[in-house]
């Protein structure tokens, strides 16, 4: 069995380039895909080299233990998954090509059986089927896992950036910062505002942070709790918070809900806060 497996391995490795050229004939024009017939020459060259390497790695599985095969395949799929994400190739296109690759691979095994002088028995073919199809399945499994991990990490990073941009701490002077909060605030956004604001304010090294709520149309107990928690957190790191721009309807709702802002400095307009800070602290906001 080992002699025959070695012979098949040698055959597949020797025909890796020829295999890739045949595999590539199954490609079509699909804009944005690494597998497209009209992809840039350097992309096509890279794809063909990766595919030829794929042929060789898969052939190695005939001679490897399951653990050795998984190590080899995982290393390869982690790199190719990153390439496909970078090129914006869709996962369904990758899956389609995995099927094409599998069909062509078995065509080459069929050619080997016909051309070799070795006595290939049915048990030999089933043994190869078990080894190779398991490896092929593992390729797709690990590729999807790496691909999705990269995509999820990217989406998480983008979501974090969007949240930070939606609640930016604007530096007015080297001591004063402004946090304009606009729109509805749900539980998720409230927590994000707390975390993002604290990080940004400390990084900006401000000692006073004006929190402008003029763009907030509704304040409930949850929102108020998060605002209080933010103010307490800022106080702990040495930053004084001033609330401004609380709309009349928000103030009325707050009173009805029993929300008490008496322990927090509040002002009715941003202009008034800036004017007071300029007078009491000698700060210049228009350098």
């Amino acid at each position: 069995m080992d002699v025959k497996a070695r012979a098949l391995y040698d055959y597949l490795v020797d025909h890796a380039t020829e295999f890739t050229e045949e595999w590539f004939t199954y490609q079509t024009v699909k804009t944005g895909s690494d597998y497209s017939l009209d992809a840039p020459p350097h992309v096509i060259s890279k794809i063909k080299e990766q595919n030829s390497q794929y042929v060789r790695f898969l052939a190695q599985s005939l001679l490897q233990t399951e653990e050795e095969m998984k190590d080899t395949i995982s290393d390869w799929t982690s790199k190719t998954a990153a390439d496909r994400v970078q090129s914006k190739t869709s996962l369904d296109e990758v899956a389609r090509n995995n099927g094409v690759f599998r069909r062509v691979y078995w065509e080459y095994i069929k050619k080997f059986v016909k051309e070799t002088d070795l006595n290939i028995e049915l048990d030999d073919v089933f043994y190869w089927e078990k080894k190779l199809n398991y490896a092929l399945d593992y390729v797709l499994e690990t590729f999807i896992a790496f691909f999705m991990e990269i995509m999820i990490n990217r989406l998480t990073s983008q979501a974090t950036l969007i949240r930070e941009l939606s609640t930016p701490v604007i530096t007015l002077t080297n001591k004063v910062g402004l946090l304009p909060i606009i729109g509805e605030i749900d539980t998720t956004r409230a927590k994000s505002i707390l975390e993002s604001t604290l990080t940004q304010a400390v990084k900006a090294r401000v000692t006073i942070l004006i929190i402008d709520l003029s763009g907030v149309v509704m304040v409930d107990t949850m929102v108020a709790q998060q605002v209080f928690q933010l103010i307490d957190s800022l106080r702990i790191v040495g930053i004084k918070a001033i609330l401004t721009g609380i709309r009349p309807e928000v103030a009325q709702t707050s009173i009805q809900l029993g929300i008490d802002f008496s322990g927090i400095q509040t002002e009715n307009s941003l202009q008034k806060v800036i004017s007071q800070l300029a007078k009491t602290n000698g700060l210049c906001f228009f350098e």
Side-chain angles (χ1 to χ4, degrees):
M1 189 75 75
D2 288 344
V3 172
K4 297 175 184 179
R6 168 63 69 173
L8 176 57
Y9 164 82
D10 291 338
Y11 182 88
L12 292 170
V13 170
D14 291 342
H15 291 78
T17 301
E18 177 186 332
F19 176 104
T20 294
E21 292 302 326
E22 182 172 339
W23 165 81
F24 195 70
T25 63
Y26 288 90
Q27 306 311 311
T28 58
V29 173
K30 188 168 184 178
T31 304
S33 171
D34 275 357
Y35 301 110
S36 179
L37 282 175
D38 66 349
H42 71 279
V43 172
I44 292 177
S45 177
K46 183 177 182 179
I47 286 296
K48 287 184 176 181
E49 175 54 37
Q50 288 179 336
N51 193 80
S52 295
Q53 192 63 38
Y54 184 14
V55 173
R56 301 182 189 102
F57 283 152
L58 199 61
Q60 286 181 22
S61 68
L62 291 165
L63 311 175
Q64 293 176 318
T65 64
E66 182 178 323
E67 291 73 21
E68 290 171 337
M69 177 275 291
K70 287 183 175 182
D71 287 341
T72 301
I73 294 299
S74 294
D75 183 61
W76 184 82
T77 51
S78 66
K79 295 174 182 176
T80 52
D83 284 342
R84 299 300 174 270
V85 170
Q86 185 65 31
S87 66
K88 299 180 181 179
T89 299
S90 64
L91 199 54
D92 65 307
E93 184 70 2
V94 172
R96 185 189 76 81
N97 270 282
N98 184 71
V100 173
F101 184 95
R102 189 187 297 257
R103 290 196 299 274
V104 177
Y105 213 85
W106 279 102
E107 283 297 320
Y108 270 78
I109 294 174
K110 182 179 178 180
K111 291 180 182 180
F112 166 76
V113 173
K114 289 182 177 181
E115 296 174 12
T116 184
D117 294 329
L118 296 170
N119 180 30
I120 306 300
E121 299 176 352
L122 189 60
D123 285 346
D124 298 317
V125 176
F126 276 110
Y127 172 73
W128 298 335
E129 184 277 334
K130 181 179 179 180
K131 296 278 286 187
L132 292 172
N133 279 341
Y134 183 76
L136 282 162
D137 290 341
Y138 188 73
V139 167
L140 189 58
E141 175 188 335
T142 54
F143 184 95
I144 291 174
F146 285 123
F147 189 96
M148 293 307 298
E149 180 182 5
I150 294 170
M151 291 298 294
I152 290 172
N153 287 340
R154 178 175 291 187
L155 289 172
T156 300
S157 297
Q158 291 174 344
T160 300
L161 177 59
I162 290 171
R163 287 196 299 270
E164 290 179 353
L165 292 175
S166 68
T167 54
V169 171
I170 302 169
T171 303
L172 301 180
T173 72
N174 60 348
K175 293 183 179 180
V176 181
L178 169 65
L179 174 67
I181 301 178
I182 301 172
E184 295 184 4
I185 305 176
D186 57 15
T187 303
T188 301
R189 188 182 179 207
K191 291 180 179 179
S192 175
I193 290 174
L194 191 156
E195 296 170 0
S196 175
T197 300
L198 192 59
T199 300
Q200 292 181 73
V202 170
K203 185 176 181 180
R205 297 183 178 180
V206 298
T207 57
I208 298 173
L209 181 65
I210 305 169
I211 302 175
D212 183 14
L213 300 178
S214 59
V216 178
V217 296
M218 183 184 75
V219 171
D220 57 18
T221 52
M222 181 278 296
V223 173
Q225 182 181 7
Q226 292 296 325
V227 170
F228 293 151
Q229 189 174 346
L230 171 59
I231 292 173
D232 286 340
S233 298
L234 289 168
R235 185 183 298 115
I236 291 173
V237 295
I239 300 173
K240 177 184 177 181
I242 301 175
L243 285 183
T244 184
I246 299 178
R247 298 156 68 103
E249 60 269 29
V250 171
Q252 291 177 355
T253 302
S254 299
I255 293 173
Q256 293 171 358
L257 293 173
I259 298 172
D260 183 11
F261 287 99
S262 61
I264 303 170
Q265 182 179 345
T266 59
E267 301 293 345
N268 61 4
S269 71
L270 179 60
Q271 292 83 350
K272 184 176 180 179
V273 174
I274 290 176
S275 177
Q276 288 180 344
L277 289 174
K279 291 179 181 178
T280 58
N281 295 277
L283 299 175
C284 181
F285 290 89
F286 305 101
E287 297 180 335

